[in-house]
Every structure is written in C-alpha cells, then in structure tokens.
Amino acid sequence: MAGIPAARPFTYRFDPAATALIVIDMQRDFIEPGGFGAALGNDVTPLRAIVPAVARLIDASRTAGLAVIHTRECHRPDLSDCPPAKLRRGGPSLRIGDAGPMGRILIAGEPGAEILPELAPAPGEPVIDKPGKGAFHATPLAGLLAQLGTRNLLLAGVTTEVCVQTTMREANDRGFECLLAEDATGSYFPEFKAATLAMIRAQGAIVGWTATTAEIEEALDGQGRA
Ligand code: TIU
C-alpha cells in the first residue's frame, strides 16, 4: 500500500497495482491556438503551462507500473455521436465538425483531435475516445477498469472544471477513490480551477483528494522496483 500523507483534505492511500492514471483530453484542439478551445473564445496559454507536470506524472506512473489511460474528446466524422444540443453550443465562428486550421474541429482522425506529441500514449496504453465531457459516458472505460482490477484513479488533464471534474464525479459515483493532480490539470479560467479543487476535497473529500505532482511522485518513487 502506498500513501500521500500531504494530500488534501487528508492522507490518500492506494495500492499501485490497483491504480490507474487517467490523462484527460490533452489534445491539440484544447491546447493549441486555432482549435476548439480557442474557437470558444478562450486564451489557451494556461493549458500549455501544465504540459511538463503531466509529462512527469505519466513518467512516474509508467515507472511505478500503474496503468496509464488517455482520453480524447472527439466525434465521428458524420457527427452521429454528437447530440444536436452539444453541436449548437459555443461561439458561432467555429463549431464541432467545422474546418479549422488543424482540420475539422473535435473530429476523430483530424490533427486537432490528436494528443500533444510530447504526451503521446506509449504502445499498448489505452486511448478512450469519448463523445461527452465525462469519460464514462458512452465509452468502454468502466469495462476496461473492471478488467484491470482498478480501484483508485489518479486524474490529470484538461479542463479542470469541465471534462476532468465530470469524469472524477462519474468515477466517484462508481466507487473509485480519486485523486486529482493540482498542477497537472488546467482551465481557461483560473478561478474555476481553484473552485473545482476546493469543492472536490471539501466536506471530507466528497468527490476525492488533490495533491501536487511532486507529492504523487514521492509516493510512487520506488513502487515499480518493489
Ligand atoms: N470547454 C472546456 O473547458 N472544455 C471542453 O470542452 N472539454 C474538455 O474539458 N476536455
């Protein structure tokens, strides 16, 4: 059993063999100019800033033998998995499926839907394509985690209050003990990120725990060589 005594609001305990890291939507469409995030009117700079921390977390998880799972928010080219209600949201300039500088926005197979090259999944690591904000909705994630025997989830990625928080709440309701890496998650809105971290760990970890990448690294250090 490993533990993060400095986690908030109190010690987070996990068995590395039953723990997976889920890296949420570190895609060009959210992090690079000209993608979906920018089309919604956002400054993408705060998201780019978390890339080194996410890379460290992936490295430490791989070394410790944790399962590493990546997700991508994207849709089929015919948009049959995109509810009209989702399609109608956002700025009118560029919408899901429209052609942008990185190909069609949030469409599977287009350059913008790809994960940043510096965070590329290793061979054999699962990549879950998801049509919703939560990674459990309409995906094989629950079955995969059951197959792996996962009980604990470490979460990282973007954006903190949209896809990351939705996934963490879905996971919490399914009985997983979840911890969000504070500096390996990012939002276009710093105040939303701060509020999300606070609400997750409030009321005795009502949704889960938070800790820094350094604190997680310290807990994982040596686990893979045990
Ligand atoms: N807009 C926004 O903050 N996020 C998303 O649309 N998707 C994810 O968070 N991945």
Side-chain angles (χ1 to χ4, degrees):
M1 200 53 119
I4 307 177
R8 286 153 286 284
F10 52 83
T11 301
Y12 179 75
R13 295 190 192 286
F14 64 102
D15 171 4
T19 303
L21 170 69
I22 303 203
V23 183
I24 308 275
D25 301 354
M26 291 301 290
Q27 297 161 260
R28 299 182 63 198
D29 257 331
F30 295 109
I31 296 161
E32 294 186 6
F36 184 58
L40 293 172
N42 298 307
D43 169 14
V44 297
T45 325
L47 270 54
R48 165 65 62 183
I50 69 163
V51 172
V54 177
R56 280 170 45 205
L57 202 52
I58 292 173
D59 269 0
S61 298
R62 283 177 184 151
T63 304
L66 270 58
V68 177
I69 299 168
H70 307 258
T71 71
R72 299 185 294 202
E73 182 179 352
C74 58
H75 295 277
R76 296 189 195 124
D78 65 1
L79 294 173
S80 58
D81 59 353
C82 185
K86 182 177 184 184
L87 207 49
R88 283 193 296 266
R89 305 289 174 82
S93 57
L94 272 182
R95 289 206 160 132
I96 296 170
D98 289 351
M102 291 189 284
R104 293 180 67 204
I105 300 267
L106 281 200
I107 298 298
E110 298 286 339
E114 295 301 329
I115 291 169
L116 299 182
E118 54 268 56
L119 302 177
E125 287 177 355
V127 179
I128 304 278
D129 282 348
K130 61 187 189 54
K133 303 305 182 192
F136 287 84
H137 168 67
T139 74
L141 180 61
L144 173 66
L145 294 175
Q147 210 181 333
L148 292 170
T150 304
R151 291 191 302 274
N152 289 69
L153 293 176
L154 309 183
L155 291 104
V158 298
T159 63
T160 314
E161 78 281 12
V162 183
C163 291
V164 176
Q165 180 171 209
T166 303
T167 299
M168 193 163 175
R169 288 176 181 277
E170 286 181 322
N172 188 49
D173 281 351
R174 285 166 172 77
F176 294 95
E177 307 250 48
C178 301
L179 178 137
L180 175 56
E182 296 167 13
D183 51 342
T185 185
S187 168
Y188 303 117
F189 304 90
E191 68 276 25
F192 290 173
K193 172 176 172 175
T196 301
L197 294 177
M199 72 176 76
I200 278 170
R201 60 196 176 209
Q203 305 184 69
I206 191 109
V207 180
W209 285 256
T210 74
T212 63
T213 297
E215 290 162 351
I216 300 167
E217 283 175 321
E218 194 182 337
L220 291 176
D221 188 35
Q223 293 292 335
R225 295 182 290 280

